[in-house]
Amino acid sequence: MHCTRKITDDIHYVGGSDRRLERFENLFPIERGVSYNSYLILDEKTCLLDTVDSSITRLYLENVKHVLGNRKLDYLVVHHMEPDHCANIEEILIRHPETTVVGNDKTFAFIRQFYPDLDLEGRTLAVKEGDVLKLGKHELHFFMAPMVHWPEVMVSYDPCDKVLFSADAFGSFGALNGNLFADEVDFDRDWLDDARRYYTNIVGKYGAQVQMALKKLTGVDIRLICSLHGPVWRKDIDYLMDKYQHWSTYEPETKGVMIVYGSMYGDNQNAAECLASYLSQEGIRDIRVYDASKTTPSFLVSEAFRLSNIVLVTPTYNMTVYPAIEAFVDDFLRMGLKNRTLSLIENGSWAPAANRLLREKLKEPAFRFTPKDVTIRSNLDEAKLTELASLAKDIRESL
Ligand code: FEO
């Protein structure tokens, strides 16, 4: 049975949520599920904006049918060709032989790659930067947004309702719980962590491209943001833009410290806990301690984007960095993180090498370091506790 909702008088939400999927892109845990958003504009012309993942095909087709009623579907706009949004193009076109597919040249190249048997002869309309699709009182103005998150991505703006259809941008992990609009809940409480984790995991690498897209939209009067995932924004747009400004320029949101440790027998965990206590005694309030063997890089990377300081506590393991710590470091490097202050604590019972290896990998000026690395030999002693207390002071001074 259909489940739709009006966003404005003429724009309808026809997407849905998946709570079964374990991992987004078969990689990132999504305990709260994910929504696949699609929108249908009813004007002199009708226009469907993207489709949805194959997991919710049935609901989606019922939603489109319900909102469309007896009308024909004039256009299907494809902002993004990743299969979580394009999986139902063929289903829509089979049901609506009258529909013209709107995309850019790369969109159609990807459609041919993903769906080699799909015949779009005479059913396409290619758009480029600045083109306008007139639907009646609504118009879609197209802006290319390459690599936010794939090369064919474009966004569109409807001046009538001042809506930005933003593709993956401004999206979030998390199924919708009836509350379609971000302002219907406490966003910081209910969505911010998933929105940050979605951005940093999925789009984080492409900060420069996000910046280019944001610059293109400077001066555009945006009152609504309709992303392909997560809630719709109709209030506090500046708040969301500010988050994207921080994330896409790799500037921390807040001054605080994450301590990420690898610990086989508890000694490094102990060092991490002691440092956290010293940091607290230095007056630092935003302190998070994570076991890299337990918390997946998906969450750790998101925290690394949020906070100003990262402390890595690692054994030397087979003459390298402990694999769980290395996985975290490789992940945040892969996502382009920079502008963080790092502190290093290694443990080596006979040949400590991890701090040197991490310093070779994490270079200035992308990363700053507190002055003195710490080397533990097997376990803490009074002298090492003094070094940790001193490190806590150095971290406080770096904030
Ligand atoms: Fe939600 Fe890049 O697809």
Side-chain angles (χ1 to χ4, degrees):
M1 180 53 76
H2 61 82
C3 181
T4 65
R5 188 164 169 186
K6 265 193 169 191
I7 292 173
T8 66
D9 285 346
D10 305 318
I11 301 176
H12 300 252
Y13 180 86
V14 291
S17 292
D18 180 0
R19 293 179 179 78
R20 284 191 176 187
L21 187 67
E22 283 280 331
R23 288 172 183 268
F24 191 78
E25 294 186 353
N26 214 6
L27 201 55
F28 306 108
I30 44 169
E31 289 180 2
R32 296 200 321 124
V34 66
S35 74
Y36 304 108
N37 299 343
S38 171
Y39 308 92
L40 181 51
I41 301 174
L42 300 182
D43 201 340
E44 291 168 25
K45 301 285 187 183
T46 62
C47 182
L48 185 58
L49 303 172
D50 298 288
T51 72
V52 296
D53 188 78
S54 57
S55 60
I56 60 166
T57 295
R58 186 175 169 197
L59 170 70
Y60 175 66
L61 295 174
E62 288 176 359
N63 283 352
V64 172
K65 184 178 177 187
H66 171 72
V67 173
L68 204 54
N70 295 323
R71 297 190 63 179
K72 64 189 179 80
L73 180 63
D74 294 295
Y75 298 110
L76 167 61
V77 173
V78 181
H79 289 102
H80 184 17
M81 265 302 293
E82 194 162 6
D84 55 332
H85 309 295
C86 75
N88 281 282
I89 289 177
E90 189 168 20
E91 293 295 333
I92 290 294
L93 295 183
I94 287 170
R95 285 162 175 75
H96 298 279
E98 74 281 9
T99 301
T100 296
V101 181
V102 181
N104 55 59
D105 289 343
K106 286 195 178 74
T107 315
F108 295 118
F110 281 4
I111 289 178
R112 286 191 291 276
Q113 288 175 198
F114 277 104
Y115 305 109
D117 296 331
L118 183 58
D119 180 10
L120 291 182
E121 187 64 35
R123 303 185 67 180
T124 62
L125 174 62
V127 294
K128 54 188 186 315
E129 182 79 22
D131 282 354
V132 177
L133 179 67
K134 294 183 187 299
L135 305 174
K137 62 181 180 176
H138 296 270
E139 295 177 345
L140 293 176
H141 294 235
F142 292 99
F143 299 83
M144 301 300 123
M147 299 317 298
V148 186
H149 143 239
W150 279 17
E152 86 297 357
V153 170
M154 58 186 190
V155 302
S156 61
Y157 175 72
D158 170 21
C160 178
D161 282 339
K162 301 183 179 2
V163 188
L164 177 69
F165 297 100
S166 64
D168 274 341
F170 306 112
S172 178
F173 291 143
L176 295 168
N177 295 300
N179 300 303
L180 176 60
F181 295 98
D183 59 271
E184 291 178 325
V185 293
D186 181 334
F187 183 82
D188 279 2
R189 183 195 66 197
D190 294 348
W191 283 102
L192 179 56
D193 285 346
D194 267 335
R196 182 188 303 105
R197 195 162 62 87
Y198 172 82
Y199 176 86
T200 59
N201 288 189
I202 306 299
V203 193
K205 180 180 174 61
Y206 305 110
Q209 289 85 352
V210 172
Q211 278 290 301
M212 282 175 59
L214 291 176
K215 284 192 175 71
K216 279 187 188 181
L217 296 169
T218 304
V220 177
D221 184 10
I222 299 169
R223 305 284 174 88
L224 278 155
I225 296 179
C226 293
S227 171
L228 290 175
H229 301 284
V232 170
W233 283 77
R234 62 182 175 184
K235 288 182 181 171
D236 303 324
I237 302 280
D238 287 347
Y239 165 94
L240 184 61
M241 291 291 183
D242 181 64
K243 292 294 180 197
Y244 262 64
Q245 186 63 24
H246 281 86
W247 297 338
S248 60
T249 56
Y250 305 97
E251 290 298 330
E253 279 171 75
T254 187
K255 292 181 177 180
V257 185
M258 69 183 299
I259 304 171
V260 186
Y261 69 82
S263 186
M264 290 183 281
Y265 301 107
D267 299 311
N268 287 357
Q269 177 182 355
N270 189 217
E273 306 282 9
C274 289
L275 177 62
S277 174
Y278 289 134
L279 290 170
S280 179
Q281 292 171 63
E282 289 293 329
I284 300 168
R285 291 294 166 258
D286 203 337
I287 307 164
R288 302 297 159 95
V289 180
Y290 293 101
D291 181 342
S293 300
K294 181 178 178 188
T295 305
T296 70
S298 169
F299 291 87
L300 296 177
V301 165
S302 186
E303 277 290 72
F305 269 70
R306 185 175 75 85
L307 293 165
S308 59
N309 284 59
I310 303 169
V311 182
L312 299 169
V313 188
T314 178
T316 295
Y317 190 88
N318 290 336
M319 289 308 295
T320 62
V321 175
Y322 190 63
I325 293 291
E326 188 123 52
F328 167 51
V329 169
D330 286 347
D331 237 35
F332 75 62
L333 285 176
R334 196 176 293 125
M335 301 318 283
L337 187 75
K338 56 187 177 182
N339 304 329
R340 295 299 182 276
T341 301
L342 304 181
S343 304
L344 302 180
I345 302 173
E346 66 182 352
N347 192 337
S349 293
W350 61 93
N355 283 353
R356 174 179 57 79
L357 294 168
L358 286 169
R359 282 225 179 220
E360 288 171 4
K361 185 177 268 197
L362 300 163
K363 296 197 186 308
E364 297 183 2
F367 300 100
R368 300 171 294 274
F369 288 86
T370 44
K372 289 175 76 173
D373 300 345
V374 175
T375 298
I376 300 167
R377 292 284 191 166
S378 306
N379 199 359
L380 294 175
D381 57 17
E382 287 301 325
K384 291 302 162 190
L385 284 177
T386 302
E387 282 188 46
L388 291 180
S390 175
L391 176 58
K393 290 187 193 305
D394 287 342
I395 291 172
R396 175 179 48 73
E397 284 171 14
S398 78
L399 287 174

